[in-house]
Amino acid sequence: MSMAASTAAAVAVPEVSLRSGDARPMPMVGMGTAQFPVVNEATRNAVLAAIEVGFRHFDTAFLYGTEEPLGEAAAEAIRRGLVRSREDLFVTSKLWCTQNHPHLVLPSLRETLKNLQMEYVDLYLIHWPVCIKPGPPKFPNKKEDAVPVDFEGVWRAMEECQRLGLARAIGVSNFTTKHLDRVLAVATIPPAVNQVELNPAWQQRTLRAYCADRGIHVAAYSPLGGQNWDGQGNAVLDSEVLAEIAKARGKTVAQVALRWIHEQGVTSIAKSYNKERLKQNLEIFDWELTEEDRLKISQIPQRKVVQATSLFSEEGEFTSVDPEEMNIAEE
């Protein structure tokens, strides 16, 4: 990228073509919108600010409650000429666990599209390899409400969403190689994407190799080590290794983490509602890490933060599901 391009108001973000589906190419950095509690105006303003600095890829989910403000911001951006049309944006949403039933997939996507005021999403993901009895989403869930996932039935319904053009591409989230094996065994249309927790402190080497072999693109949530709700600090932003590299390169720790992810061929979904940080999150394409930097990062101790069991209350027991089936960590 030339200096002129990097100092322009909006950064041009590299894109990757997905192997299956007819979505427009996916920008390699997206903006996440998981915000609790949801403040519609804050989400709407943050999405508009993100579009102004160059973001074209936005990630939401039925669970987050941010589909509506994201849709409003997209419509406003088109009205204001910040983007030419809906086709300029890449929008991902996700099917929640209580909707993870074959007969609920299509109605759930239709509801998502109504919230977004859009005719299609670029990518629709199964949020977790977890199925909970139908009902409104809530936290935490009762353990006894977990039921086995009908991988074949749900995936067939996802394929129907793509055939109808309501989702340009379909995929999964939080799936391990074992879960992916079950989908690939029945898939006519393979998953285009697997979105998982991935960052320098949880590098997912096994899963990345598996997905690369099968043409499944990997996207990273918590690329900066977020979702650390246990109060044990942040393994990415507090990393001395990353801090040392950042200082030597004149970059922020966040930029080093995002650059490392980009160099792995993975898309980052970074959540920030701060315009300056949004801008910094895109300033990772005109420099590279050194071999020594990469070696140091490869030696960072690994620790997974997000677990499927965190969706459930501590009381009660799993009566119809083996918790091991829901395990989303693998070395």
Side-chain angles (χ1 to χ4, degrees), residues 228-302:
N228 232 12
W229 298 317
D230 59 5
Q232 290 179 26
N234 182 315
V236 176
L237 296 181
D238 299 341
S239 163
E240 286 176 21
V241 172
L242 296 179
E244 195 180 291
I245 295 169
K247 191 175 175 197
R249 309 306 305 280
K251 304 293 175 188
T252 67
V253 169
Q255 285 172 326
V256 170
L258 294 173
R259 176 68 205 181
W260 177 83
I261 291 169
H262 179 63
E263 290 186 9
Q264 310 310 306
V266 171
T267 294
S268 292
I269 309 295
K271 195 201 74 142
S272 175
Y273 277 20
N274 173 297
K275 192 168 185 178
E276 192 45 48
R277 279 200 295 275
L278 282 164
K279 194 163 160 289
Q280 287 173 4
N281 288 350
L282 292 185
E283 292 169 350
I284 61 166
F285 302 117
D286 56 354
W287 55 281
E288 284 183 15
L289 294 167
T290 64
E291 274 307 316
E292 193 188 350
D293 293 340
R294 292 182 200 116
L295 182 63
K296 284 178 183 166
I297 292 172
S298 74
Q299 294 166 342
I300 289 175
Q302 298 293 291

Side-chain angles (χ1 to χ4, degrees), residues 59-248:
D59 182 275
T60 183
F62 182 77
L63 176 76
Y64 304 161
T66 54
E67 290 172 334
E68 215 170 289
L70 170 56
E72 287 167 7
E76 175 72 9
I78 294 164
R79 270 198 304 274
R80 281 167 43 182
L82 296 174
V83 291
R84 287 163 306 183
S85 70
R86 161 72 183 91
E87 298 285 330
D88 284 347
L89 300 174
F90 188 104
V91 176
T92 300
S93 195
K94 309 182 196 84
L95 176 80
W96 184 240
C97 303
T98 51
Q99 305 156 322
N100 203 1
H101 302 264
H103 69 290
L104 293 180
V105 175
L106 192 52
S108 300
L109 177 52
R110 290 195 195 279
E111 190 173 351
T112 279
L113 293 173
K114 194 172 143 204
N115 290 341
L116 287 163
Q117 302 172 59
M118 290 176 184
E119 289 174 9
Y120 68 91
V121 288
D122 294 274
L123 180 62
Y124 196 45
L125 305 177
I126 299 172
H127 206 149
W128 289 80
V130 172
C131 182
I132 295 170
K133 287 175 185 170
K138 61 178 191 292
F139 265 108
N141 296 276
K142 291 180 180 168
K143 287 180 178 169
E144 53 269 31
D145 286 345
V147 291
V149 179
D150 175 359
F151 284 96
E152 181 171 4
V154 169
W155 191 252
R156 293 258 175 274
M158 293 288 285
E159 291 180 336
E160 183 63 11
C161 293
Q162 183 172 314
R163 275 194 284 273
L164 291 169
L166 302 177
R168 295 273 173 96
I170 51 176
V172 296
S173 177
N174 294 302
F175 275 44
T176 61
T177 58
K178 283 198 210 67
H179 301 123
L180 286 166
D181 280 342
R182 296 184 65 175
V183 171
L184 289 169
V186 299
T188 311
I189 303 169
V193 170
N194 185 15
Q195 186 186 121
V196 293
E197 180 185 7
L198 191 154
N199 56 55
W202 188 246
Q203 298 184 11
Q204 296 272 27
R205 293 186 191 100
T206 304
L207 183 69
R208 280 193 282 133
Y210 174 103
C211 289
D213 280 349
R214 290 156 183 80
I216 300 169
H217 184 65
V218 176
Y221 72 76
S222 293
L224 306 179
Q227 309 233 3
N228 232 12
W229 298 317
D230 59 5
Q232 290 179 26
N234 182 315
V236 176
L237 296 181
D238 299 341
S239 163
E240 286 176 21
V241 172
L242 296 179
E244 195 180 291
I245 295 169
K247 191 175 175 197

